[in-house]
Amino acid sequence: MMNSIPSTLPLSRLVTDMQESATLKMAKMARELKAQGKDVIDLSLGEPDFDTPVHIKEAAKKALDDGYTKYTPVNGLVELREAIVRKLARENDLQYTINQIVVSNGAKQSVYNLCMALLDPGDEVILPAPYWVSYYEIVKMAGGVPVIAYSSIEQDFKSSPDDIEALISDRTKFILYSSPCNPSGSVFSFEELRAMASMLQAYPHVIVVSDEIYEHINFTQNHHSMASMEGMKDRTVIINGMSKGFAMTGWRLGYTASPDWIAEACTKIQGQVTSGASSFGQKAAAVALDSDLTPTHDMVKAFHTRRDLIISLLEQIPLLLVNRPQGAFYIFPDVSAYFGRTSANGYHVSNADDMALYLLAEARVSTVSGGAFGNDKCIRLSYATSDAKLKDAAARIAQALSILN
Ligand code: PMP
Ligand code: GLU
């Protein structure tokens, strides 16, 4: 008798236990509805609606013509790592060597490299919530245990040093957060970071991973890195990348700046998983980092105006609690006052997941449930889109919420 191949081969526990990325899932649903001819406004995916500045695209084209079509060193072209070192010195007053920089295929891969390099099964990672969706799943993927520090809209979604300290254990490996924050847009001030650093002096085994990918999209004009706080540089890893500040999401370029031993470990992981990032993309990224930032500043001005617009529109909706983000291009309103209500057409909303699905079905606006970011009272809206679309989306959301009783 012939052995037949089962129709469904067993998948790994790792993938079956994993949540699909909620941001990418909502964006996919919006795309599919649009393909069916439905008029959907997509506020789910976090990416600038601007195109990559022309001089960066020209640099990539030139790099191709110049023959930059081969593998690069795993940790990145020397030329790009030198540009990153210059950027860190010029903009952040931080001194690194090129051996402390690892260029990856997006900041998402930087997070992955770090988790794989630093975590043993059972090691804990403190995630101040709301946190970026992928942190949670990547920590789990590496065998780590995410430990959540909850914070509410009343705290501007910022965990205090006491909140974090209460969660530190012998198994804590690192704290991982983004500032400016995805999804809340909150920004840690110098004083807040200093207080966190001061608390951490009593816990020398804890590393800080500071995701600064929204560094330039900061309406306070003041970006501070944990690496600049006294006593912290040797145990801080900075994550950054080209996606947000340079409108280069599709280019897949991120990087870390860290102590040598962590950079070496991340390079080792990346060498077995993907090798170096794209050669001509790296050449263009070096040009981007060394150039005048006027295109970035123009983009940030537009985000600032849109932030004010979306706040003013959402504040008019009864029962919605609206935060005042200081950076990134997200707003994270608390929608929990609507929980327990049912729409005129019978749709019951009992949590943030229901709310995101309800708004997609009823208002044809795609958002992301806060549940995926560790806060099940809120939803995330990306306002990286035109004023006209924001006005239309807010009107549709107001209408859909008004029929929940
Ligand atoms: N960190 C944060 C906080 C993000 O919002 C994103 C957006 N995708 C990333 C990392 C990853 O960025 P990328 O992989 O595009 O560089
Ligand atoms: N970081 C963006 C977001 O949060 C892009 C999507 C993703 O990579 O998750 O929407």
Side-chain angles (χ1 to χ4, degrees), residues 21 23-24 44-46 108 132-134 182 214 244 330 380:
S21 162
T23 48
L24 301 182
S44 58
L45 193 61
K108 194 178 272 188
W132 179 46
V133 270
S134 295
N182 178 1
Y214 296 96
K244 315 293 170 167
Y330 307 106
R380 188 191 79 173

Side-chain angles (χ1 to χ4, degrees), residues 46 105-109 111 132 135 178 180-182 211 213-214 239-244 248-249 252-254 330 380:
N105 298 275
K108 194 178 272 188
Q109 187 182 23
V111 177
W132 179 46
Y135 294 163
S178 57
C181 174
N182 178 1
D211 183 342
I213 196 162
Y214 296 96
I239 297 182
N240 209 326
M242 308 307 292
S243 284
K244 315 293 170 167
M248 292 172 70
T249 48
R252 312 310 303 127
L253 287 163
Y330 307 106
R380 188 191 79 173

Side-chain angles (χ1 to χ4, degrees), residues 92 130-132 135 156-158 176-189 193 210-226 239-240 244-245 300 324-330 380 383:
N92 310 95
Y131 48 77
W132 179 46
Y135 294 163
D156 191 23
F157 301 112
K158 288 193 268 189
L176 168 57
Y177 64 85
S178 57
S179 177
C181 174
N182 178 1
S184 66
S186 300
V187 174
F188 279 126
S189 68
L193 288 176
S210 165
D211 183 342
E212 303 177 20
I213 196 162
Y214 296 96
E215 167 178 20
H216 291 301
I217 309 170
N218 183 335
F219 316 129
T220 72
Q221 316 283 340
N222 277 317
H223 175 78
H224 297 286
S225 171
M226 183 58 94
I239 297 182
N240 209 326
K244 315 293 170 167
V300 174
R324 196 172 179 80
Q326 298 299 314
F329 36 66
Y330 307 106
R380 188 191 79 173
Y383 57 82

Side-chain angles (χ1 to χ4, degrees), residues 225-241:
S225 171
M226 183 58 94
S228 323
M229 302 299 131
E230 205 180 326
M232 292 307 294
K233 181 157 175 269
D234 288 346
R235 54 176 169 132
T236 298
V237 180
I238 294 176
I239 297 182
N240 209 326

